[in-house]
């Protein structure tokens, strides 16, 4: 009898899982795939920071000071790399 009740519970959980799946469209209905456009990101080595970096926050601060419209910075292989939208 216990095997039958476990099988019933498993079947109910499987049905619940299948009913809650929205097909990967973000719950927006329509049934189609939703496409998201991603902006390109340009990167470049920091011109002023020639020493090995120790934190992303300091790199961001240095990149914001530089010319070229840099909007962010991070440590990559111990050197500051600046980022901006292309």
């Amino acid at each position: 009898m216990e095997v039958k009740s476990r099988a019933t519970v498993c079947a109910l959980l499987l049905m619940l899982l299948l009913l809650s799946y929205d097909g990967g469209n973000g719950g927006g209905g329509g049934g189609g795939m939703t496409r998201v456009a991603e902006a390109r990101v340009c990167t470049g080595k920091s011109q002023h920071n020639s020493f090995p970096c120790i934190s992303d926050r300091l790199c961001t601060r240095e990149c914001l000071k530089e010319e070229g419209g840099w909007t962010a910075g991070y440590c990559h292989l111990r050197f500051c790399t600046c980022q901006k939208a292309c």
Side-chain angles (χ1 to χ4, degrees), residues 34-74:
T34 303
R35 296 184 183 253
V36 177
E38 294 184 19
R40 290 180 46 199
V41 177
C42 292
T43 59
K45 188 176 175 186
S46 174
Q47 300 298 317
H48 295 113
N49 194 357
S50 60
F51 55 89
C53 65
I54 55 173
S55 76
D56 292 339
R57 187 176 58 201
L58 293 175
C59 284
T60 298
R61 190 178 303 156
E62 288 298 318
C63 290
L64 291 174
K65 291 179 188 177
E66 292 185 13
E67 296 176 356
W70 301 109
T71 58
Y74 62 93

